[in-house]
Amino acid sequence: MTYTFNETQMAELNRLVARYPEGKQKSALLPALHLAQDSFDGWLPTELMDYIASLLKIEPIEVYEVASFYSMFNLKPVGKFIFEVCQTGPCMISGSDDIIAYIQEKLSIKPGETTKDGVFTLKLVECLGACGYAPMMQVGKIFREHLTKEKVDSIIAEYRATVTN
Amino acid sequence: MGVKLLLDKANVPGIRTYEVYRREGGYRSVEKALKEMNPESIVEEVKKSGLRGRGGAGFPTGMKWSFIAKPEGVPRHLVCNADESEPGTFKDRYLMEFIPHLLLEGLIVSSFALGSHDTYIYIRGEYAWITDILEEAINEAKANGWLGKNILRTGFECNIHVQRGAGAYICGEETALIESLEGKRGNPRIKPPFPAIQGLWQRPTVVNNVETLAAIVPIINIGGEEYAKIGVGRSTGTKLISACGNINKPGVYEIDMTISVEEFIYSDEYCGGIKGGKQLKACIPGGSSVPILPANLLLKTATGETRYMNYESLSDGGFATGSMLGSGGFIVLDEDQCIVKNTLTLARFYRHESCGQCSPCREGTGWMEKILHKIEHGHGTIADIDLLWDIQRKIEGNTICPLGDAAAWPVAAAIRHFRDEFEWHINNPVLSQTSNFGLQHYADPIHVPA
Ligand SMILES: Cc1cc2nc3c(=O)[nH]c(=O)nc-3n(C[C@H](O)[C@H](O)[C@H](O)COP(=O)(O)O)c2cc1C
Ligand code: SF4
Ligand code: FES
């Protein structure tokens, strides 16, 4: 499959590149990969990374090595919504284990897996900077904090409703 | 109520917007700095204030600024470290989310002092909505003439750009951050050369924490000397503390550094005591990297003195009986928490975040996690405790960047102060799977030798 940014996406890329001095366009790589991941299917297939390399005039390997370093870049297909639940110390002592177990039970998937309908992926992550509002998870751009089982139920229902309609 | 310099206006409705922020006296420090001061006098003022870096290391900011090289014709850069990924730390997020213009104001003054015309905020990728808030604030500031060319008709040009990271704790380390800002993997650089000489794109660069740069605003407004009068000793000014764990009121608090740890934990103005009326067992007072202390060594030093929330007092006793103020990430553990399990989650964190360049860190963090996992799940031996001790000692001081130390210290401190609990886990492999060691003697009054 080949990928092409539409006009808006291209304008955003150009805005990103313009923030750096002449010849330093590689600095836009992380923001460009975010843009690419958000613009297409939520992950970075090789063809998409190659496309970014061509836009930034760098070698494909320079993109691959960066994409594989950072945890927010997905190198495999993911569900429509990713529940990224924090499991580090402060969240753990505030009850994240129970929340993780509950989500696994509700969605019948283990960490790293995606539901059969392709809607939810469960991912365990390390501290997201919300330790005072634990337990918590990130879904897309937002943080869902002070999680309880009831809250998890309503969050799942909320996202599910957006796909069945 | 202590003095507040950063969050004093945090509760004013609409303070996130330029209009309200300006009406409340915002951007005065830019007027003063650009019209009445010059870069040298600003650096002097910051030196006088005694401000120490709020990112964790506590290095004097004025001194750091005075190191920046000024070769003819080479641009210089200020980079704001908003990577905030040290477990327990969420103070910069609060400041950027609720008072974004305070950070921008500090950045403009600091950029003027350092001669940076293009200043970058490197923010952790997960803070996506805060990136939007900052971009919005930058647009407002630009529209009102505080950014761009010829600010206040002084000829000074300053642009601020926000760059999102993509999930890597190591990018909070300043040279890894610079690499990441150049579009590379976050592998820390070998120092020297220091960023002040060769940083971003090999140009002279200063990297400072969000809170450090926000503190420049009150320092310019009230003067370095007045700022230095707040606090005690070399802990001047105010500090943001993000408190979490088993307390009644988790959140971000601005303290002046004269209050005691006990007051901070138990007073209703701050943490409001331990949740559910339980007892305090232990605390990691400055972000996950600093040594954990049992309750008795937290509230009092080994010599029986009251411990205070400042750089000197928290580190009183060195690593043998003290800890550090660090990033201000204050993690409280109650009597039901398991030290082995807590240490395991931190070891897993550091293994996950090691960039892998140095073998002691790459291999050592993996080993520590494995051994702790074994102990936690009832398969440990007493020799494993010694092995853990040995591994952490071999990491410390033998790596390119301080992440190695940061991974070693929590394990060392847990064994140093809670060895009994590790032994109990090992000697009770079945029982430890369903119950906890509990509080035991960890809150008992300490014996002060006469
Ligand atoms: C592994 C590691 C992670 C770090 N993470 C951060 C961070 O998230 N934010 C921060 O301000 N400093 C962090 N630091 C400290 C920075 O390297 C640097 O000292 C700091 O940004 C300097 O700013 P300051 O002097 O204003 O504190 C980290 C250091 C290490 C070794
Ligand atoms: S100490 Fe660890 S994180 Fe730091 S450079 Fe070495 S391997 Fe990377
Ligand atoms: S430990 Fe979970 S957000 Fe910090």
Side-chain angles (χ1 to χ4, degrees):
Chain A
M1 171 155 180
T2 55
Y3 294 87
T4 319
F5 278 154
N6 65 26
E7 222 167 279
T8 327
Q9 290 155 351
M10 200 51 108
E12 176 61 8
L13 183 83
N14 290 333
R15 184 186 78 92
L16 294 170
V17 171
R19 307 192 299 196
Y20 312 99
E22 276 292 315
K24 304 294 181 196
Q25 76 284 354
K26 182 175 174 180
S27 280
L29 181 52
L30 268 67
L33 287 175
H34 277 302
L35 179 67
Q37 183 163 287
D38 295 347
S39 301
F40 298 101
D41 303 317
W43 69 289
L44 297 170
T46 311
E47 295 81 359
L48 183 50
M49 292 195 273
D50 292 347
Y51 176 56
I52 295 298
S54 71
L55 290 176
L56 294 181
K57 303 184 185 65
I58 55 179
E59 294 301 321
I61 181 71
E62 296 177 82
V63 180
Y64 308 156
E65 65 174 12
V66 162
S68 62
F69 185 85
Y70 296 92
S71 67
M72 290 180 77
F73 297 133
N74 300 313
L75 300 178
K76 283 192 309 213
V78 286
K80 200 161 163 41
F81 303 105
I82 315 176
F83 285 0
E84 302 186 71
V85 193
C86 174
Q87 56 170 347
T88 315
C91 276
M92 186 277 291
I93 64 173
S94 309
S96 60
D97 283 359
D98 289 347
I99 295 297
I100 293 166
Y102 188 67
I103 296 175
Q104 294 192 48
E105 184 195 313
K106 281 282 289 192
L107 298 178
S108 307
I109 48 172
K110 289 201 193 57
E113 295 178 353
T114 300
T115 51
K116 284 207 189 69
D117 57 8
V119 178
F120 297 107
T121 297
L122 174 62
K123 204 167 151 183
L124 301 187
V125 298
E126 303 294 349
C127 183
L128 294 180
C131 330
Y133 324 111
M136 66 79 63
M137 65 178 171
Q138 178 178 10
V139 190
K141 249 189 173 184
I142 50 174
F143 283 10
R144 312 300 297 246
E145 300 170 332
H146 300 293
L147 294 178
T148 57
K149 289 181 183 171
E150 295 71 42
K151 228 169 164 172
V152 167
D153 285 342
S154 69
I155 290 169
I156 292 175
E158 180 189 322
Y159 288 111
R160 195 151 263 151
T162 66
V163 284
T164 43
N165 287 338
Chain B
M1 277 261 289
V3 191
K4 291 205 183 357
L5 299 174
L6 302 178
L7 303 185
D8 52 340
K9 300 272 166 55
N11 293 324
V12 175
I15 196 74
R16 188 187 278 168
T17 63
Y18 171 77
E19 205 192 329
V20 177
Y21 182 76
R22 175 69 176 151
R23 196 181 66 216
E24 292 291 325
Y27 289 99
R28 268 185 303 139
S29 74
V30 177
E31 290 171 324
K32 184 167 172 185
L34 267 60
K35 290 186 169 161
E36 299 166 28
M37 301 172 78
N38 57 41
E40 292 72 33
S41 65
I42 296 172
V43 175
E44 267 323 296
E45 218 50 51
V46 174
K47 278 188 179 163
K48 272 190 230 158
S49 74
L51 175 67
R52 293 166 67 176
R54 303 298 195 223
F59 191 82
T61 307
M63 200 193 295
K64 184 172 192 167
W65 286 12
S66 66
F67 293 153
I68 192 166
K70 295 180 177 168
E72 199 61 40
V74 182
R76 303 185 284 275
H77 294 286
L78 169 64
V79 175
C80 171
N81 189 342
D83 195 52
E84 188 157 73
S85 312
E86 167 105 346
T89 317
F90 48 100
K91 63 180 180 79
D92 297 337
R93 161 185 170 182
Y94 186 92
L95 205 151
M96 294 186 287
E97 188 168 356
F98 297 105
I99 333 175
H101 284 283
L102 180 66
L103 174 61
L104 299 188
E105 184 176 350
L107 281 172
I108 298 166
V109 174
S110 309
S111 299
F112 178 64
L114 293 162
S116 169
H117 301 298
D118 282 290
T119 291
Y120 297 87
I121 302 175
Y122 183 94
I123 186 167
R124 69 176 300 175
E126 293 89 347
Y127 286 174
W129 79 99
I130 303 180
T131 308
D132 295 344
I133 291 173
L134 289 172
E135 299 262 17
E136 170 73 29
I138 288 171
N139 287 337
E140 286 181 317
K142 206 182 284 173
N144 287 281
W146 300 100
L147 284 172
K149 291 201 169 75
N150 201 11
I151 300 168
L152 297 177
R153 294 199 201 87
T154 57
F156 177 60
E157 173 176 0
C158 181
N159 303 294
I160 299 178
H161 315 278
V162 192
Q163 168 104 328
R164 268 175 82 198
Y169 165 66
I170 190 58
C171 291
E173 194 282 330
E174 57 184 12
T175 61
L177 187 154
I178 290 171
E179 287 282 299
S180 183
L181 203 42
E182 292 183 358
K184 303 180 194 148
R185 296 163 73 94
N187 289 343
R189 296 179 180 171
I190 295 174
K191 298 192 242 186
F194 288 92
I197 313 294
Q198 284 179 13
L200 184 59
W201 306 307
Q202 301 300 316
R203 300 168 176 181
T205 304
V206 164
V207 180
N208 274 128
N209 174 257
V210 169
E211 184 188 348
T212 311
L213 292 164
I216 300 302
V217 174
I219 289 172
I220 296 302
N221 283 335
I222 66 175
E225 252 163 64
E226 282 305 305
Y227 185 90
K229 284 182 193 158
I230 302 161
V232 57
R234 291 183 58 231
S235 298
T236 63
T238 62
K239 176 84 189 86
L240 297 182
I241 305 288
S242 58
C244 64
N246 312 122
I247 47 176
N248 283 316
K249 290 171 57 194
V252 177
Y253 299 99
E254 180 170 10
I255 59 163
D256 79 33
M257 292 185 266
T258 58
I259 70 166
S260 69
V261 177
E262 186 161 4
E263 180 184 350
F264 185 70
I265 294 180
Y266 292 100
S267 124
D268 282 335
E269 200 185 321
Y270 303 106
C271 303
I274 309 300
K275 211 170 168 176
K278 289 187 189 169
Q279 293 210 61
L280 169 69
K281 177 175 180 177
C283 174
I284 305 173
S288 64
S289 305
V290 312
I292 186 171
L293 289 177
N296 50 14
L297 278 176
L298 176 73
L299 303 181
K300 291 219 171 7
T301 68
T303 51
E305 312 266 348
T306 301
R307 214 187 267 285
Y308 293 93
M309 296 287 292
N310 62 46
Y311 292 97
E312 289 77 22
S313 186
L314 278 170
S315 55
D316 186 297
F319 276 10
T321 57
S323 184
M324 283 165 77
L325 178 63
S327 64
F330 196 85
I331 310 167
V332 179
L333 286 79
D334 71 23
E335 57 187 300
D336 291 335
Q337 300 309 326
C338 170
I339 301 297
V340 176
K341 184 160 185 197
N342 185 63
T343 311
L344 167 62
T345 75
L346 298 184
R348 185 190 57 220
F349 171 82
Y350 290 106
R351 190 264 304 148
H352 185 256
E353 303 300 338
S354 167
C355 84
Q357 281 192 108
C358 337
S359 27
C361 172
R362 182 186 60 239
E363 304 301 321
T365 52
W367 275 100
M368 292 197 300
E369 184 197 357
K370 272 199 203 107
I371 298 167
L372 283 160
H373 191 270
K374 234 176 100 184
I375 300 176
E376 163 67 12
H377 292 89
H379 310 295
T381 64
I382 294 292
D384 283 334
I385 304 180
D386 300 321
L387 184 57
L388 267 180
W389 184 265
D390 196 44
I391 295 170
Q392 68 77 23
R393 212 170 37 84
K394 286 184 174 139
I395 300 175
E396 196 194 355
N398 292 320
T399 56
I400 294 177
C401 93
L403 185 136
D405 298 347
W409 295 342
V411 173
I415 298 176
R416 187 181 299 120
H417 300 299
F418 299 91
R419 195 177 176 108
D420 292 5
E421 186 162 349
F422 281 83
E423 289 175 356
W424 176 84
H425 250 267
I426 290 162
N427 294 329
N428 298 279
V430 180
L431 185 64
S432 66
Q433 300 309 297
T434 51
S435 71
N436 266 336
F437 189 59
L439 182 65
Q440 302 288 341
H441 54 94
Y442 296 125
D444 293 355
I446 34 179
H447 172 71
V448 183

